[in-house]
Amino acid sequence: MLDLSGFFCYSVTMSFRYERACVAQLEQRLKTKNLRIQVLVGPRQVGKTTGVKQLLARYPYPNHYANADDLLSTDRTWLLEQWQIAMALGNQTLLVIDEIQKVPNWSETLKALWDKNPDTIKVVVLGSSSLQLQKGLTESLAGRFELIRAYHWSFHELKSAFKYNLDRYLTYGGYPGAVAYEADFDRWYAYLKDSIVEAVIGKDILLNRRVGNPALFRQAFEILCRYPAQEISYTKLLGQLQEKGNTDLVKYYIELYSGAFLIHSLEKYSTKSHLVRSSSPKILISCPALYTMNKGPDIMADPEQRGRMLEVAVGAQLMQLPGHVYYWRDKNLEVDFIYSYRGILYAIEVKSGRRKTSKGLDAFLAEFPSARPIIISSDTFPAFSENPHTFLEKASPVKNG
């Protein structure tokens, strides 16, 4: 049997050394005045805790890190104790509470503490359950926090940290913790299924949201992952679930998976809101690894599937950007992605090797002449992944006069 122990140590070391962009974003915010509570959210196992510890290692003022997962039981007095420890260290102290969602009534307690001393210490909270965090924020901490999102690892990040090539990313990309298991697909699959997907479904979603049929909900995840970057009607999805009901059930399932950073649905782009609401969704999984779990490790041998996964990679990266992402279709004419940002409309076509024409892009530009056309291929995707906004600006210069 292949000995992966050395590679496992290497992968763990590299993932700890590599610093994600969200760390610099958090560090910059901590330097500003009138700072609100900083909340780091994102999928499981993408390095949120590692990133915070990297920041703490160079933070110039006192800091106190506490993890609610270290205790067998916690209550609001534990959170009060951590706050008092940080207060005793003086102004500019940074208090970090990890796995805060495990503290009962954490949001109400944090609100009360913050309101009494809003400018004395700096506070960062994070946790493995994004849905629990988001629920607490909206219920109790409105106006007192800012979100920083740590998404799945991009191709550029995995290339920098683990020397990924594009095909490797399109097969396994998204989770750095799974890198060590890629040579053993069964072990890689078990890690993703048990440590990530099932943890998200079983702990993050089913324990926090009302789902009448958990088995059906799990089945929906597998079905949705079969349609990466594909448009499909809610009615067809409901039919595959073999469930009597209406399409609101499927919409609700997708909404839960989206809140947990697993699967998103893109709306059709239109200036008419009723057409947007009535359109079929385009299913977008948040990273290539989730598709490989269902299809196996040989997907790159099929040009059709490789092209589909390149579309997934482009769409997933667009979803990490500020702004709005759509798709466009008019009968048989389509554009892969429509990205709207700061009043600029980008019409993005993924040149993936699949048989496609430019008729869809031409038709969209005829209807929306101010839109900027963008072509992304396997050759240009690395530059797009490294800095999407710079790529889009350079690839679509403003037309003169």
Side-chain angles (χ1 to χ4, degrees):
M1 177 178 286
L2 181 64
D3 182 8
L4 297 173
S5 58
F7 184 65
F8 177 79
C9 293
Y10 167 79
S11 66
V12 171
T13 301
M14 289 304 296
S15 63
F16 184 79
R17 288 179 180 175
Y18 185 84
E19 188 168 292
R20 306 195 68 194
C22 60
V23 179
Q25 183 183 8
L26 176 58
E27 185 174 32
Q28 188 61 36
R29 285 191 183 179
L30 292 174
K31 296 176 181 178
T32 61
K33 296 181 179 180
N34 302 317
L35 184 69
R36 290 174 169 78
I37 298 169
Q38 299 299 301
V39 184
L40 189 60
V41 299
R44 283 179 176 263
Q45 301 295 319
V46 296
K48 297 186 294 295
T49 297
T50 297
V52 167
K53 289 184 176 180
Q54 289 170 329
L55 175 57
L56 289 178
R58 61 173 182 269
Y59 187 70
Y61 302 103
N63 65 80
H64 176 56
Y65 172 88
N67 192 332
D69 203 30
D70 292 338
L71 303 177
L72 294 177
S73 62
T74 57
D75 56 32
R76 65 184 307 274
T77 60
W78 178 87
L79 186 56
L80 176 60
E81 178 186 1
Q82 309 313 313
W83 186 278
Q84 291 175 344
I85 291 173
M87 290 284 289
L89 295 174
N91 290 346
Q92 301 297 318
T93 295
L94 174 57
L95 171 63
V96 177
I97 305 294
D98 205 344
E99 297 293 350
I100 194 170
Q101 80 279 353
K102 296 189 176 181
V103 181
N105 300 315
W106 67 269
S107 56
E108 295 88 343
T109 304
L110 188 58
K111 174 182 179 294
L113 293 170
W114 178 261
D115 287 349
K116 290 180 180 178
N117 303 278
D119 301 316
T120 306
I121 62 175
K122 302 176 187 294
V123 180
V124 175
V125 300
L126 61 154
S128 56
S129 176
S130 292
L131 282 175
Q132 280 183 276
L133 282 176
Q134 294 168 38
K135 181 180 179 182
L137 294 172
T138 55
E139 289 181 349
S140 301
L141 290 171
R144 297 170 177 83
F145 71 92
E146 291 181 282
L147 287 180
I148 294 180
R149 294 175 175 84
Y151 293 97
H152 291 87
W153 282 46
S154 68
F155 169 64
H156 175 71
E157 291 176 308
L158 288 167
K159 179 183 177 183
S160 300
F162 301 105
K163 304 185 185 303
Y164 264 43
N165 60 30
L166 182 55
D167 279 5
R168 184 180 173 192
Y169 172 74
L170 296 180
T171 305
Y172 297 107
Y175 295 101
V179 170
Y181 310 127
E182 290 175 13
D184 183 345
F185 179 77
D186 290 340
R187 188 178 179 188
W188 178 89
Y189 174 88
Y191 170 78
L192 257 71
K193 184 177 186 299
D194 300 332
S195 297
I196 298 177
V197 173
E198 184 52 40
V200 172
I201 294 176
K203 295 181 179 180
D204 300 348
I205 300 178
L206 294 180
L207 290 181
N208 295 285
R209 295 292 190 273
R210 180 177 297 179
V211 175
N213 189 331
L216 190 71
F217 184 68
R218 287 183 168 88
Q219 182 190 7
F221 175 77
E222 295 181 2
I223 291 174
L224 289 166
C225 284
R226 297 172 192 165
Y227 295 94
Q230 295 183 57
E231 180 187 352
I232 183 171
S233 70
Y234 289 113
T235 302
K236 184 175 180 180
L237 288 171
L238 186 66
Q240 291 200 39
L241 286 173
Q242 298 180 342
E243 176 71 6
K244 293 181 180 179
N246 55 47
T247 57
D248 288 340
L249 176 69
V250 180
K251 293 180 182 179
Y252 178 58
Y253 283 0
I254 296 176
E255 178 184 333
L256 293 180
Y257 284 126
S258 179
F261 293 90
L262 288 179
I263 297 171
H264 307 285
S265 64
L266 302 185
E267 295 178 328
K268 176 182 175 181
Y269 180 80
S270 176
T271 56
K272 301 176 181 178
S273 58
H274 70 280
L275 294 179
V276 173
R277 290 192 300 269
S278 63
S279 65
S280 297
K282 184 171 185 175
I283 304 301
L284 187 64
I285 58 178
S286 55
C287 72
L290 298 177
Y291 184 65
T292 302
M293 281 184 63
N294 285 272
K295 284 295 185 178
D298 299 324
I299 56 176
M300 290 301 103
D302 182 348
E304 179 75 17
Q305 293 195 73
R306 186 185 187 279
R308 187 68 68 185
M309 293 317 297
L310 184 60
E311 285 186 43
V312 166
V314 172
Q317 188 109 30
L318 288 170
M319 290 293 293
Q320 297 183 15
L321 304 178
H324 301 280
V325 184
Y326 310 88
Y327 75 97
W328 181 81
R329 174 183 290 278
D330 183 7
K331 298 179 181 178
N332 293 327
L333 301 172
E334 63 176 319
V335 178
D336 294 324
F337 301 106
I338 307 300
Y339 175 52
S340 175
Y341 177 64
R342 293 187 177 183
I344 301 175
L345 202 61
Y346 297 93
I348 301 172
E349 190 70 21
V350 181
K351 187 178 179 181
S352 58
R354 297 165 57 231
R355 291 186 177 181
K356 299 171 70 174
T357 70
S358 62
K359 292 182 179 180
L361 189 59
D362 293 340
F364 184 84
L365 295 174
E367 185 173 350
F368 303 97
S370 63
R372 302 184 184 183
I374 301 289
I375 304 294
I376 299 179
S377 66
S378 295
D379 293 332
T380 59
F381 177 74
F384 168 74
S385 180
E386 181 175 2
N387 194 322
H389 278 142
T390 298
F391 178 90
L392 293 177
E393 291 173 0
K394 289 183 177 181
S396 60
V398 179
K399 298 178 182 178
N400 293 324

